[in-house]
Amino acid sequence: MDRRELLKLGALAGAAAVTGVGANALLRPSPAAALAGLPGGSPLGNRRVKNVIFLAYDGTGYEDFATADFFARRVVGQPLRYHQFLSEGLTGTMIPSSLTSWVTDSSAASSAWSTGRKIVNGAVNQFPDGTELTPILELARATGRATGLVTTARATHATPAAWVAKVRAREMEEEIAIQYLASGTDVILGGGQAYFDPAIRSDGRDLFGEFAGAGYDVVKTPGELASSSGSKLLGVFAPSTRHVAYEIDRRFGGVDQPSLADMVRAALPRLDGAEGGFVLQVEAGRMDHANHEQDAGAMVWDWIAADEALGVLLEFVADRDDTLLIHAPDHDTGGGVTFGWGSRYSRTDPALMTFGNVRCSYERLLLDLMPRNPSPAQVRELVEANVGVPVGDFAAENLAALVSGTDMAGLRWGHQNAVLGSMKYQVAQLLSQSFENRPERPPVSFATSNHTAGFVPVVLAGAGIEAGNLGVIDNTELFGVMTAALGIEFENPAMTADEAQELVDEG
Ligand SMILES: [Zn+2]
């Protein structure tokens, strides 16, 4: 074989690796089903449970755990329950890929849990040819179980949606709200009033009224939540398209909305009253948004809020073997890391302690506190008072120019990656330490404003489960864990990555 033939062969091999069968096959998990070898295909063996609770942390991973763990111990003064939970549960590592991308979005990730099938990013329980998948809450209802969704994101956001709805695109939140009503889901708690509000919905439908007509208590404030006694409950606590406020803004900004733990405490007794048991998905949704926004202060406080909700759930499953608790992030976001700083990294811990000065998310600072055309002096004053970091002339002038040139109210802050574009980067660069390493700023640096491929921890607890090792599992395998535990025999239709990609390419 001469050199020319060799080159040709090399080029062909290269082409095959990029476009051929090999490309998407590489995205499939291997081994396909780590749990398949277990009795009943489940860590519980052939044992059944009455209830399943799935706690999802959106957009966070091992590195955030390290940052949040320091924050919890040293700044808040109370270790994370998650720390002990991870030690005492049946734990493993989860691969969070979607059907055609090694990096998943939230809708594909949640659909994978909910249906046992990977789909293309952006869809909710649908393949690109319109084939619909049946989500776990629909299957659970068919067994007579009550069902619930609790989230700090909008109630109709991707992660909760994928446990109930079937739509072509996750942005179809008006349709998702309609499907929630039709589904009969017993408890729905989160943010985003817009999608239920006749004054804002494009079809003018009054979904608040329709839910009330279907027997739901409809509540919009913590006070209404506390005084509600109905067994069916719709709680939407944030105005317009806003998510439930970041924990940091709830605690320090006087935002009158419930915490994730408050919402979980409201959901549990309603669902636990059901004769046939229940399935509940709880999402700590806003670590993801904080990481998209490269806002480490908001991220660590939402970890604290998520940890309180975890505490409520651990208390609920303690000493009862009829409830399985599953916990996993859907993916990591931002690739934020606490980095070593100073001689022998001696300045890392003092810099991390400055998390204690942060009193406000970037979201609240820019959307709610900053005047419309701020002067550099106003910017400096607001940032120093609320974010607790000193602002130089350069940052103050640039931030003032950025805010003045942007329709802040028109921004859907904390939404999908592309909405804020470079704005988010610029704000993060101007306000965070990554712009300049300063002793007054936490030493946390982000790799991206997008999701990452990072593998994430998964924990199974309750239901008499003992500490152990699950190994490396695929996100789709948690569907099998849930259906086996609930005594449901069901398989959704399948599509290969290559078939899906072809359909996407055909547009
Ligand atoms: Zn997500």
Side-chain angles (χ1 to χ4, degrees):
M1 192 179 291
D2 68 15
R3 188 169 166 275
R4 220 175 61 200
E5 279 176 307
L6 268 174
L7 282 174
K8 200 169 135 196
L9 196 68
L12 281 174
V18 174
T19 62
V21 182
N24 283 325
L26 289 175
L27 294 178
R28 291 185 203 117
S30 175
L35 304 179
L38 300 174
S42 160
L44 294 179
N46 294 314
R47 228 150 38 80
R48 305 270 180 268
V49 297
K50 196 174 168 195
N51 316 312
V52 169
I53 302 170
F54 195 116
L55 174 60
Y57 280 16
D58 203 305
T60 192
Y62 285 108
E63 295 285 354
D64 286 353
F65 173 33
T67 303
D69 203 44
F70 179 97
F71 178 71
R73 288 159 192 262
R74 300 285 301 279
V75 181
V76 179
Q78 178 156 1
L80 290 173
R81 294 168 189 86
Y82 181 71
H83 205 114
Q84 192 180 351
F85 178 56
L86 199 55
S87 307
E88 294 177 351
L90 178 57
T91 65
T93 298
M94 192 193 81
I95 302 175
S97 64
S98 71
L99 183 55
T100 53
S101 172
W102 197 232
V103 177
T104 190
D105 84 329
S106 296
S107 58
S110 191
S111 296
W113 289 333
S114 169
T115 69
R117 296 291 184 234
K118 289 186 187 294
I119 61 170
V120 178
N121 287 345
V124 176
N125 296 328
Q126 248 187 43
F127 289 129
D129 65 355
T131 302
E132 292 184 342
L133 306 175
T134 305
I136 186 77
L137 289 198
E138 186 176 332
L139 298 171
R141 285 193 72 78
T143 67
R145 288 179 168 89
T147 56
L149 296 172
V150 172
T151 179
T152 48
R154 291 194 294 269
T156 48
H157 206 238
T159 304
W163 285 53
V164 171
K166 303 159 193 171
V167 290
R168 178 171 41 78
R170 54 183 287 173
E171 292 80 10
M172 298 164 66
E173 292 184 56
E174 292 188 352
E175 169 63 21
I176 289 167
I178 291 172
Q179 293 190 13
Y180 279 1
L181 178 63
S183 74
T185 305
D186 300 275
V187 175
I188 302 167
L189 301 173
Q193 290 168 355
Y195 303 100
F196 302 85
D197 185 341
I200 303 180
R201 283 183 59 94
S202 59
D203 59 6
R205 269 178 78 169
D206 176 12
L207 283 207
F208 285 128
E210 292 185 39
F211 269 92
Y216 286 77
D217 271 7
V218 176
V219 300
K220 296 175 186 173
T221 66
E224 290 173 4
L225 179 65
S227 59
S228 148
S229 58
S231 61
K232 288 173 91 79
L233 181 62
L234 172 69
V236 194
F237 303 102
S240 185
T241 58
R242 300 279 282 263
H243 304 289
V244 175
Y246 282 117
E247 178 67 10
I248 192 171
D249 298 328
R250 228 183 48 78
R251 289 204 185 205
F252 303 113
V255 178
D256 188 29
Q257 293 175 10
S259 69
L260 184 61
D262 293 336
M263 292 192 280
V264 169
R265 282 192 200 96
L268 283 174
R270 288 174 166 86
L271 298 171
D272 196 26
E275 189 80 3
F278 69 87
V279 178
L280 167 66
Q281 192 227 42
V282 178
E283 183 201 23
R286 302 219 66 196
M287 285 95 98
D288 176 60
H289 305 150
N291 283 331
H292 275 299
E293 292 152 21
Q294 306 195 345
D295 185 348
M299 184 274 287
V300 290
W301 273 112
D302 261 57
W303 257 83
I304 298 297
D307 202 62
E308 284 181 12
L310 173 64
V312 174
L313 294 174
L314 284 174
E315 214 168 281
F316 183 83
V317 301
D319 305 322
R320 57 190 291 175
D321 58 9
D322 66 349
T323 305
L324 172 65
L325 174 62
I326 302 174
H327 177 283
D330 58 346
H331 54 79
D332 186 24
T333 299
V337 296
T338 289
F339 59 85
W341 185 31
S343 169
R344 299 184 189 275
Y345 303 153
S346 60
R347 296 176 75 176
T348 302
D349 288 16
L352 276 173
M353 292 302 290
T354 64
F355 268 127
N357 303 330
V358 188
R359 286 289 176 272
C360 168
S361 69
Y362 296 169
E363 173 181 283
R364 179 160 182 273
L365 177 79
L366 294 167
L367 284 189
D368 301 328
L369 300 181
M370 200 75 83
R372 200 156 179 78
N373 291 298
S375 68
Q378 284 174 311
V379 166
R380 178 180 289 118
E381 193 184 329
L382 275 167
V383 172
E384 293 187 351
N386 291 287
V387 187
V389 300
V391 182
D393 290 344
F394 177 83
E397 282 162 23
N398 279 278
L399 200 53
L402 194 63
V403 171
S404 299
T406 308
D407 171 19
M408 300 304 297
L411 290 174
R412 300 179 79 197
W413 194 269
H415 194 241
Q416 269 303 81
N417 314 350
V419 176
L420 291 175
S422 64
M423 171 89 184
K424 198 162 48 189
Y425 274 113
Q426 293 174 63
V427 171
Q429 292 296 302
L430 290 166
L431 292 185
S432 79
Q433 101 322 303
S434 52
F435 177 64
E436 46 180 340
N437 290 339
R438 299 275 299 268
E440 306 89 346
R441 296 169 189 208
V444 177
S445 188
F446 290 85
T448 174
S449 272
N450 293 339
H451 295 181
T452 75
F455 294 176
V456 291
V458 56
V459 187
L460 271 54
I465 282 176
E466 291 176 6
N469 180 17
L470 268 179
V472 180
I473 68 165
D474 188 62
N475 54 2
T476 54
E477 291 183 87
L478 292 175
F479 174 76
V481 170
M482 290 189 283
T483 51
L486 294 166
I488 294 169
E489 278 189 42
F490 185 85
E491 258 197 59
N492 270 299
M495 179 174 281
T496 69
D498 292 320
E499 285 167 344
Q501 191 59 53
E502 223 166 277
L503 287 162
V504 170
D505 292 342
E506 286 165 8

